Amino acid sequence: MRSTEPPAATSSVSPCEVRHLSKRYGAHTVVDDLTFSIPRNHVVGLIGPNGAGKTTTMKMLLGLVRPSGGDISLLDQTLGEPRWGDVLKRVGSMIEAPPIYDRLTARQNLQYQSLAVSGSIDDAEIGELLRLVDLADRADDRPRGYSLGMRQRLGIAITLVGQPELVILDEPGNGLDPAGIIEIRNLMGRLPEMGTTVLVSSHQLAEVQQACDQLVILANGRTVAQGTTAQILSGRAQHIFHVTVDDSDAQRASEALRTAGFAVVDRIDTTFVIEPPRSVGGRDLNCLLASDGIYASAINQPLVSLEDAFLDLVQQPEPVHATATHTQEVA
Ligand code: ATP
């Protein structure tokens, strides 16, 4: 039965680690020397442009595509070791379409999966999973009448049978309306506290920014950045402030900022967009202006979006490597 207790970590080792992974189809290298490691009990986003190699990578993790080179470790076992088949039983997955049998009801789909995973039917777990994905009142209906969001949620419930330590979800929000996307996000967010690490691919960057606390960003089959979402965003953020003053102070504020050596990169009415050195914060700017008798009505630092960071990263001419603890760039 699924426990809602905090997970008793089976290991501090990453549940999913790839080193120098590659996949070639003929002369076409679609995954190229890919290296990343995801932390346990997090929701980790695998993002990248179309054709970056996300699905191929996930398929290699699941043994659905044979790598051309490199190493994969899942749950402390390395691909090719004798116990690899057992490891895959502890990993749930949904690649491309949810693994649903339309002639079975939702409950029967889960019972079927329960039998496949453990050799017996755990009705208590199935009841909990149906509640978790908010399908308890439709459990005895056939999924062909379900909405797309309900099918995706049933698909995720199927991947969770047997309480896997890792689930791999390929674009689970594809085609869903905003309400469906929020439901999937909330569902994924509950899994780490139950001891399940989530690796999820997505195109919806605003959604990824909210759903995932860790990211692996791919471009052209390579890792271009890896780390916490906050690290990746702060690593890409320009040090920009918007300083707004009263109309009567605008001329003097402009002079004070320039005299202090701060580049005014834009001006919108009485709001100055400035890019000071990184050591200068909003408080310093406020003090600077106040020392000239100018009282700013607002000093804001605009947030960088994952979309901006992503475009910046994937347009780099060469790969950018970052680790989970430090985001750094290699020119
Ligand atoms: P998307 O976001 O569009 O789904 P993706 O990042 O998941 O893209 P993949 O589906 O992994 O990318 O594809 C990576 C590249 O590998 C693409 O250029 C694709 O055409 C190619 N590819 C995938 N499978 C095969 C195959 N079986 N034979 C040849 N090329 C393939």
Side-chain angles (χ1 to χ4, degrees):
M1 188 159 127
R2 173 162 283 264
S3 164
T4 51
E5 290 295 307
T10 51
S11 161
S12 58
V13 175
S14 164
C16 171
E17 200 168 347
V18 308
R19 288 175 298 275
H20 307 297
L21 188 65
S22 66
K23 179 64 192 175
R24 286 183 294 280
Y25 288 109
H28 189 193
T29 300
V30 300
V31 173
D32 184 9
D33 198 26
L34 186 64
T35 294
F36 67 84
S37 137
I38 70 173
R40 192 173 285 278
N41 295 331
H42 287 269
V43 181
V44 183
L46 183 66
I47 61 174
N50 284 337
K54 303 179 296 293
T55 302
T56 305
T57 299
M58 288 183 153
K59 285 182 174 173
M60 286 194 281
L61 293 176
L62 293 163
L64 301 172
V65 163
R66 186 193 296 269
S68 306
D71 297 313
I72 295 176
S73 296
L74 290 187
L75 307 175
D76 299 349
Q77 293 292 313
T78 304
L79 175 67
E81 287 181 357
R83 288 176 50 215
W84 185 250
D86 295 338
V87 169
L88 289 182
K89 288 186 189 153
R90 291 154 56 204
V91 179
S93 65
M94 188 165 85
I95 303 289
E96 287 156 0
I100 293 173
Y101 293 98
D102 275 327
R103 295 176 63 185
L104 304 180
T105 65
R107 189 187 308 281
Q108 287 167 338
N109 267 280
L110 291 166
Q111 288 171 336
Y112 181 83
Q113 182 70 5
S114 189
L115 263 180
V117 168
S118 66
S120 62
I121 294 176
D122 183 342
D123 279 319
E125 181 188 40
I126 289 168
E128 282 184 31
L129 285 172
L130 285 164
R131 282 191 291 280
L132 179 73
V133 301
D134 200 19
L135 287 175
D137 57 344
R138 299 289 303 271
D140 298 308
D141 294 346
R142 290 185 181 172
R144 71 163 65 104
Y146 281 6
S147 68
L148 192 56
M150 292 165 76
R151 291 181 71 84
Q152 293 296 86
R153 297 205 309 275
L154 175 58
I156 293 177
I158 292 171
T159 71
L160 294 174
V161 169
Q163 199 165 359
E165 289 171 56
L166 173 68
V167 293
I168 296 178
L169 305 174
D170 190 18
E171 304 271 2
N174 246 4
L176 299 188
D177 62 15
I181 288 172
I182 291 169
E183 283 165 0
I184 298 287
R185 181 206 309 160
N186 291 341
L187 178 54
M188 290 193 304
R190 295 179 63 186
L191 301 183
E193 72 200 35
M194 298 175 179
T196 299
T197 303
V198 181
L199 179 65
V200 54
S201 73
S202 181
H203 277 116
Q204 292 148 337
L205 297 182
E207 176 52 27
V208 167
Q209 189 168 350
Q210 294 184 64
C212 303
D213 51 0
Q214 297 270 337
L215 298 176
V216 176
I217 302 184
L218 303 189
N220 298 320
R222 310 192 79 177
T223 319
V224 293
Q226 180 188 355
T228 67
T229 308
Q231 281 168 344
I232 287 175
L233 292 179
S234 66
R236 312 314 300 173
Q238 289 174 292
H239 194 59
I240 295 273
F241 288 88
H242 291 181
V243 179
T244 304
V245 297
D246 288 345
D247 208 16
S248 55
D249 290 331
Q251 186 55 37
R252 286 193 306 125
S254 170
E255 280 159 20
L257 292 167
R258 285 180 209 279
T259 306
F262 299 156
V264 177
V265 294
D266 200 1
R267 178 174 168 178
I268 307 146
D269 298 328
T270 60
T271 297
F272 297 90
V273 180
I274 61 164
E275 189 171 8
R278 287 206 172 254
S279 57
V280 173
R283 189 169 185 281
D284 301 315
L285 294 171
N286 202 16
C287 289
L288 171 82
L289 294 171
S291 67
D292 273 1
I294 303 162
Y295 296 97
S297 49
I299 298 181
N300 301 311
Q301 199 168 14
L303 294 175
V304 71
S305 72
L306 182 55
E307 238 159 42
D308 295 333
F310 176 80
L311 287 173
D312 191 14
L313 282 162
V314 300
Q315 285 164 2
Q316 295 281 326
E318 293 293 329
V320 173
H321 295 288
T323 68
T325 53
H326 177 63
T327 304
Q328 67 187 26
E329 297 181 20
V330 178

